[in-house]
Amino acid sequence: MQFLTKFCAINLFFIWGLVFPAAALASEPDLVSKTSCFANDRQTYDGFVAFSTVDVLTRMGKGDGFFAKLLFERKIKNRFSEERYQEVKQTYDCFNIRYLVDEVEVEGYYLARKDGNGDVKKPLLIFNRGGNGKFGSLSLFGFLETQSRFADAGYIVLASQYRQQDEFGGKDLNDVIKLVELGRRLPEVDPARVAMFGVSRGGHMTYMAARQQLNLKTIIVWAGMSDLTKTHEERPEMEAVYQYRIPNYQTNTQAELEKRSVMFWYQDLPDNMPVLLLHGDKDDRVNVAQSRRLADRLIQAGRPHELVIYRDGDHGLKPHREAAFNKILAWLKIYL
């Protein structure tokens, strides 16, 4: 048994070392495992579609009945053709990773374009998802569809699902911070060129992470929460999320919300870190007024930033998604 344990450990160390350097394994967060995004039943297009359908439905909390599956299979096939699947499979290194933070195992994704030139260091983009708990967590399909455009532009993308005991900006903030540390230790990453991109709830995670002086070159926030007290006023149903997710919320309500709201400590953001704010003026989940108020504060503080408001744009910035992604890519080209 001891021999088998040592044998497995040696082989796992070798496999991990193909992508993650030994230095990254020697300190927190330890990499527990990495699995190809196209392993097992995802090795064929039909298998990928079937897996992605169940994956999306599960993460959205929807039923898995026959008609629900049929509908989502058609959606995925329309948005991710077999030709695109084969292209992605051959073009990208994509891994589902698990890493340790505070002795808690956290799931995430790694994505990079294969370019055959291992000597060139690439910039790193950390993506912070929205939602809470399982809701809004990253499906493989969604991750590939959105983040492949950044891999195409030459960035290495790392994203965290956050720990299972999601505290909506509590201890789970460490999951993002540790991912930055892990990413900087990758041999293919230029540790001096790191940016962060957050959507919705991922916006307040991005502000909180930037406050920790992580030497980020820039941050991008899409429909981000900058004031959780205002979100509570605008969407009373968020009370249930706050009560369930945020420790000490009942006894220390205002302090816990302010801790997660950049509007109360925007002066603590790094002085010279450019901030890109994207928001739709018809967003019914996070009111565009939050980004407007934050932009006003950044002006008062003399902080470099740009606010882009999309007319008739919803929370997902439809019908301006392509324009928004192109804006982000242009911004990253300048600052990263």
Side-chain angles (χ1 to χ4, degrees), residues 227-238 284-290 293:
D227 188 341
L228 274 67
T229 64
K230 292 295 183 183
T231 302
H232 183 229
E233 293 174 9
E234 296 154 1
R235 294 180 63 199
E237 65 269 25
M238 287 301 292
D284 60 357
R285 296 192 181 184
V286 180
N287 195 294
V288 66
Q290 292 201 34
R293 285 193 293 267

Side-chain angles (χ1 to χ4, degrees), residues 264-283:
F264 293 93
W265 39 261
Y266 60 90
Q267 304 96 327
D268 294 342
L269 293 175
D271 291 341
N272 298 315
M273 180 191 70
V275 180
L276 176 62
L277 304 171
L278 308 173
H279 221 124
D281 65 3
K282 294 296 189 294
D283 190 337

Side-chain angles (χ1 to χ4, degrees), residues 12-282:
L12 283 173
F13 183 87
F14 173 75
I15 293 170
W16 290 337
L18 294 178
V19 174
F20 296 92
L25 298 173
S27 59
E28 289 295 335
D30 287 329
L31 188 69
V32 178
S33 65
K34 75 175 186 69
T35 307
S36 170
C37 296
F38 307 107
N40 304 320
D41 52 354
R42 303 181 294 280
Q43 295 181 57
T44 66
Y45 179 65
D46 288 342
F48 173 82
V49 171
F51 171 86
S52 297
T53 299
V54 174
D55 189 26
V56 170
L57 288 172
T58 301
R59 294 181 188 279
M60 292 178 66
K62 294 183 179 276
D64 60 352
F66 173 78
F67 290 108
K69 286 184 177 179
L70 184 63
L71 176 63
F72 270 85
E73 280 184 1
R74 288 178 178 174
K75 277 189 176 182
I76 289 171
K77 287 180 177 180
N78 286 336
R79 290 165 54 182
F80 210 84
S81 66
E82 183 167 6
E83 181 181 6
R84 177 58 175 162
Y85 164 81
Q86 296 295 347
E87 179 187 12
V88 167
K89 189 176 178 181
Q90 295 171 15
T91 305
Y92 303 95
D93 286 320
C94 179
F95 297 97
N96 180 282
I97 63 171
R98 292 183 179 274
Y99 61 105
L100 286 178
V101 189
D102 306 327
E103 300 183 354
V104 175
E105 191 172 311
V106 181
E107 183 182 357
Y109 283 110
Y110 168 103
L111 184 67
R113 188 177 178 91
K114 300 175 183 177
D115 58 13
N117 190 350
D119 294 332
V120 177
K121 303 286 187 179
K122 294 183 177 182
L124 174 66
L125 179 64
I126 302 293
F127 177 70
N128 294 330
R129 69 167 181 90
N132 67 94
K134 279 277 188 183
F135 177 76
S137 59
L138 290 168
S139 67
L140 171 59
F141 162 70
F143 176 72
L144 286 172
E145 185 184 40
T146 58
Q147 302 307 307
S148 59
R149 64 189 74 210
F150 298 112
D152 281 339
Y155 305 104
I156 292 172
V157 183
L158 285 176
S160 177
Q161 295 281 31
Y162 315 136
R163 63 189 63 193
Q164 187 173 358
Q165 191 62 40
D166 182 358
E167 297 184 356
F168 212 62
K171 292 180 181 178
D172 47 297
L173 179 63
N174 292 340
D175 306 341
V176 174
I177 294 171
K178 287 295 185 180
L179 198 60
V180 174
E181 296 173 2
L182 174 60
R184 278 198 163 111
R185 290 196 293 266
L186 298 179
E188 64 270 33
V189 166
D190 179 350
R193 292 192 293 160
V194 181
M196 192 171 286
F197 169 27
V199 173
S200 190
R201 171 267 179 89
H204 83 252
M205 299 291 284
T206 299
Y207 295 131
M208 293 177 75
R211 188 187 190 187
Q212 302 301 312
Q213 305 298 320
L214 300 177
N215 295 318
L216 301 174
K217 286 295 185 182
T218 184
I219 62 173
I220 300 106
V221 176
W222 171 313
M225 301 171 71
S226 59
D227 188 341
L228 274 67
T229 64
K230 292 295 183 183
T231 302
H232 183 229
E233 293 174 9
E234 296 154 1
R235 294 180 63 199
E237 65 269 25
M238 287 301 292
E239 173 74 12
V241 175
Y242 292 169
Q243 286 186 7
Y244 185 70
R245 295 290 175 196
I246 299 177
N248 305 316
Y249 175 74
Q250 298 278 32
T251 58
N252 210 14
T253 302
Q254 188 65 23
E256 291 297 336
L257 293 182
E258 289 183 8
K259 186 191 305 182
R260 293 162 171 80
S261 302
V262 66
M263 284 294 293
F264 293 93
W265 39 261
Y266 60 90
Q267 304 96 327
D268 294 342
L269 293 175
D271 291 341
N272 298 315
M273 180 191 70
V275 180
L276 176 62
L277 304 171
L278 308 173
H279 221 124
D281 65 3
K282 294 296 189 294

